[in-house]
Amino acid sequence: MSNNSNEGSGSKQVEYEEHVPVKSKFGVGFANAGSSLMSTIGLGTIDVFYIKIYGANPMFLAWSWMLFIVWNMINDPIIGILEERTKTRWGRRIPYLRFGALPYTLSFILVWFPFMQGEIGLFINHLLMLYVFDTFYSMIGLITFGLPAEMAITAKERNRITLFGVCFGAIGMISRWVIEPLFLAGDNPNQLVFQIVVTIAGIISGLLIFASSYYIKENLYTQEEEAFGFVESIIETLKNKPFLIIEVAIFFMIVITELLFTGFIYLFDYVFIFSELSIIFLIPALIIMITLTIYANNKIGSWGLKKVMILGGFISMIGYIMLFFIGLVNSSKIPFEIGTFGIGFVGLGLLMFMLNQSPLMGEAIDYDEIRTGKRRETTYSGVNALITKPAVSIAHALLLGIMGLYGFQQGVSVSNQPASVATGVLIAVSIVPIICIIIAIIGLYFIPLEGEEWQAKKRHLQEIHMQKEKDYLESMRQKQGR
C-alpha cells in the first residue's frame, strides 16, 4: 500500500494512492455474492412464495413484518458490538464468516419448507423464519458491509473494494430476477423445482462465504484496542452527527430498493410480459448499466461521494417516472422490453447509490475514529441496522398494504384479480420510491465530510493506522521471542 500525495491543481477532493491486494477484494466479492444471494431471495421472495404457493393472507404477512421490526432493530447492534469485541487468532471478522456460513445456509433452506399451515400457522412460520434467518444474515451482513471501511482508508480504494462486492453481489439480485419469473410468476408456480433451485443456490452461497474467510485480510491491531461497553458504544455512535445525516439517506434508499426487489415479481404478474426476447434486451441493458456505473464511480476522486450518489438519485427518479407512465397508459400487460428503458435508469441510479453506500459509511466511521480513537466498523453496521432495518419491514408492509387497498384478493389467481391491482403495484414500486428519493437527496446534500480539510484529516488517520500496524507486529515479535 502506497501513501503518496496525489494533489491535483484546484481539486477539492485530494486523495493519496492506496492499494488493497486483489485477492482480498475477491474475498469481499465472494462473501457478498453468497450473502447477497441468500438475503435477496430469502427476505425478498418469502412473501411471494407464501402467498402464491400456500395462499397466505397478505395482511397477516404485513403484520409479521411489522412485529419483526422489534427484533430486527436490536439484533444488529448486539451482534455488531459482539463482533467488535471478538478476539481470536484469526481476527474479529473471519471466524464469523468461516463458522457462520453453515447455519446461515441451513436457515435459508428452512425458509422454503414451512412446517405450519393455515392462515395463523403460516403467519407464525413466516415470523419465526424472519427472526431466525435475519439473525444469521446480520452476523454475516454486518461484516460484509463494514469490510471496505476496515480494509482501506481512501474513498477511491474503498469504492474499488465495494465494486467487487457489488458486482459479485449482483449475482443475488440477478438470480432473483430470473428465478422468480421462471418458477413463481403466473397462475401455476412450480413449487418443487423452485425449492430444489433455491436449496442448491443456498449451498453454493454458503461455500462462497466459507471460502471468502481465507482471502480477506483484517487489521489485526484493532484487537488490541479496548472496546467500549455496549451502552457507551451506542451513545458514542449516536453522537456522530454526519453518521445520523447519512442514515436519513440510507433509510429511504432501503425502502426504495426493497420495494423494487419485492415488487418485481408483481410487475411480471400484472404489468409486464416476460419472454425469451426480454432476456435478449435484459443482458445488454445490464452491461450498459454496469459500465456507466463504473464510469461514474471513477469520477469520485474529482466529484466526491455524495455528488455521485445525488446524481444516481436523479437518474433513478427519471426511470421511475418512465416506469409509472409506461404501465399506466396501457390497459393490458405489455412486453417487458418496452419497460427495459425505465428499469435501466432505475437500476443505473440505484447501483450508483448502492456502490457508494459502504464507502460513505466509511467516512462516518473515520470521523468517529478521529473523535474517539477507536475503530468500530461492525458497531456502526449494527447501529445503522438499528436505525434503517425498520425500512425493510415498512417497505414490505407498504407493498402488501397498497395492493390490498387496490383490490388484491387472497387466494384468487393472478388472471382473476381486479385490474386495479396493477395500478396499486405501479404506485407502490414507482410513486413511493420517487418520494423517498427526494428525501434521500436532501439528506445527502447536508453531509459535511468533504473538501481539502477533511482529506488532510484522512491522510493523518492513515498514518496512524500504519503506525498501529507496525507497533502490533513488533509486539507480536517480542511475544514470540520470549
Side-chain angles (χ1 to χ4, degrees):
M1 165 184 313
S2 60
N3 189 29
N4 300 321
S5 177
N6 189 33
E7 298 188 13
S9 58
S11 174
K12 292 186 177 181
Q13 298 295 327
V14 181
E15 290 192 345
Y16 47 90
E17 289 300 319
E18 182 184 28
H19 299 286
V20 172
V22 173
K23 69 175 185 178
S24 296
K25 294 176 182 176
F26 270 103
V28 174
F30 291 159
N32 272 273
S35 183
S36 171
L37 197 152
M38 287 197 281
S39 64
T40 302
I41 297 176
L43 294 174
T45 307
I46 184 173
D47 293 348
V48 178
F49 181 76
Y50 274 55
I51 290 170
K52 303 199 72 171
I53 298 296
Y54 294 100
N57 187 325
M59 295 309 296
F60 276 36
L61 299 190
W63 275 109
S64 176
W65 280 103
M66 297 308 293
L67 291 172
F68 172 58
I69 285 179
V70 178
W71 175 243
N72 205 14
M73 288 177 65
I74 65 174
N75 74 339
D76 290 271
I78 291 172
I79 294 171
I81 292 171
L82 284 175
E83 290 178 342
E84 215 76 77
R85 298 173 68 87
T86 298
K87 296 182 180 182
T88 73
R89 62 189 177 93
W90 298 288
R92 297 188 297 175
R93 323 298 186 199
I94 289 173
Y96 292 97
L97 295 172
R98 189 166 300 172
F99 305 114
L102 179 59
Y104 188 17
T105 301
L106 292 175
S107 67
F108 170 76
I109 294 173
L110 284 174
V111 169
W112 316 114
F113 296 91
F115 51 86
M116 301 178 71
Q117 302 296 321
E119 283 192 351
I120 301 299
L122 288 169
F123 162 74
I124 295 172
N125 199 98
H126 182 274
L127 181 60
L128 181 62
M129 292 317 302
L130 287 180
Y131 273 64
V132 174
F133 175 69
D134 184 76
T135 298
F136 291 112
Y137 163 52
S138 296
M139 183 174 66
I140 304 298
L142 294 179
I143 294 172
T144 57
F145 184 79
L147 275 174
E150 176 165 351
M151 294 169 64
I153 192 67
T154 64
K156 185 184 295 184
E157 190 65 6
R158 283 172 177 167
N159 183 266
R160 289 170 182 157
I161 297 170
T162 306
L163 182 60
F164 273 77
V166 170
C167 288
F168 277 81
I171 294 171
M173 180 174 62
I174 295 170
S175 297
R176 182 181 170 194
W177 286 357
V178 173
I179 290 172
E180 280 192 5
L182 282 177
F183 306 118
L184 295 180
D187 291 331
N188 300 298
N190 196 324
Q191 176 183 351
L192 179 60
V193 176
F194 174 81
Q195 288 173 320
I196 292 172
V197 169
V198 293
T199 298
I200 294 172
I203 293 170
I204 294 172
S205 298
L207 290 173
L208 284 171
I209 294 171
F210 178 78
S212 73
S213 68
Y214 290 93
Y215 292 91
I216 290 169
K217 180 182 180 299
E218 290 190 51
N219 292 323
L220 294 177
Y221 66 82
T222 55
Q223 293 188 112
E224 301 297 306
E225 298 176 352
E226 183 180 351
F228 285 133
F230 181 83
V231 175
E232 186 181 9
S233 185
I234 298 292
I235 292 173
E236 287 299 325
T237 303
L238 295 178
K239 286 181 180 179
N240 188 335
K241 291 182 181 179
F243 166 72
L244 296 178
I245 297 172
I246 289 170
E247 288 301 279
V248 173
I250 292 178
F251 182 94
F252 286 98
M253 291 305 291
I254 288 175
V255 174
I256 294 166
T257 53
E258 285 296 322
L259 282 172
L260 175 64
F261 296 155
T262 306
F264 201 70
I265 185 65
Y266 296 113
L267 286 175
F268 286 121
D269 277 345
Y270 300 102
V271 181
F272 295 125
I273 300 170
F274 193 80
S275 64
E276 291 80 6
L277 183 62
S278 303
I279 298 176
I280 296 174
F281 271 76
L282 186 59
I283 292 173
L286 286 171
I287 294 172
I288 293 171
M289 195 164 57
I290 292 172
T291 302
L292 290 175
T293 302
I294 293 172
Y295 171 79
N297 283 280
N298 283 335
K299 296 293 184 180
I300 284 176
S302 56
W303 294 356
L305 274 171
K306 76 177 190 180
K307 287 183 181 178
V308 171
M309 296 177 77
I310 289 172
L311 176 61
F314 280 116
I315 291 173
S316 59
M317 193 186 302
I318 293 170
Y320 278 117
I321 292 171
M322 293 172 63
L323 183 63
F324 179 75
F325 283 104
I326 288 171
L328 192 66
V329 298
N330 290 275
S331 57
S332 59
K333 292 177 70 174
I334 57 177
F336 175 74
E337 45 270 25
I338 295 178
T340 302
F341 298 101
I343 291 175
F345 274 94
V346 169
L348 172 60
L350 291 183
L351 268 177
M352 289 171 65
F353 181 88
M354 291 165 63
L355 187 61
N356 292 296
Q357 180 177 315
S358 182
L360 186 65
M361 183 63 66
E363 301 292 288
I365 294 170
D366 292 341
Y367 180 79
D368 175 78
E369 185 177 4
I370 291 170
R371 287 179 55 251
T372 66
K374 301 183 186 296
R375 195 73 192 169
R376 305 186 297 137
E377 285 88 1
T378 55
T379 295
Y380 270 85
S381 297
V383 178
N384 167 67
L386 170 69
I387 297 172
T388 62
K389 276 291 189 72
V392 176
S393 295
I394 289 170
H396 283 261
L398 274 172
L399 176 63
L400 296 170
I402 291 173
M403 287 177 62
L405 287 174
Y406 277 80
F408 181 86
Q409 298 177 15
Q410 178 190 355
V412 176
S413 64
V414 172
S415 56
N416 292 320
Q417 291 286 349
S420 59
V421 175
T423 303
V425 170
L426 280 171
I427 290 173
V429 301
S430 57
I431 298 301
V432 174
I434 288 172
I435 296 171
C436 291
I437 289 171
I438 293 171
I439 298 172
I441 288 175
I442 293 172
L444 287 168
Y445 179 80
F446 287 100
I447 296 171
L449 304 178
E450 60 179 350
E452 292 182 358
E453 183 179 351
W454 174 242
Q455 292 303 325
K457 290 180 180 179
K458 284 170 65 68
R459 284 194 292 273
H460 178 62
L461 190 60
Q462 176 62 356
E463 292 170 1
I464 293 173
H465 286 184
M466 294 172 68
Q467 186 59 49
K468 285 182 177 180
E469 185 74 25
K470 290 178 181 178
D471 293 343
Y472 174 78
L473 293 174
E474 179 61 30
S475 68
M476 290 296 101
R477 280 194 290 269
Q478 290 179 359
K479 288 179 181 179
Q480 291 171 359
R482 290 177 182 174

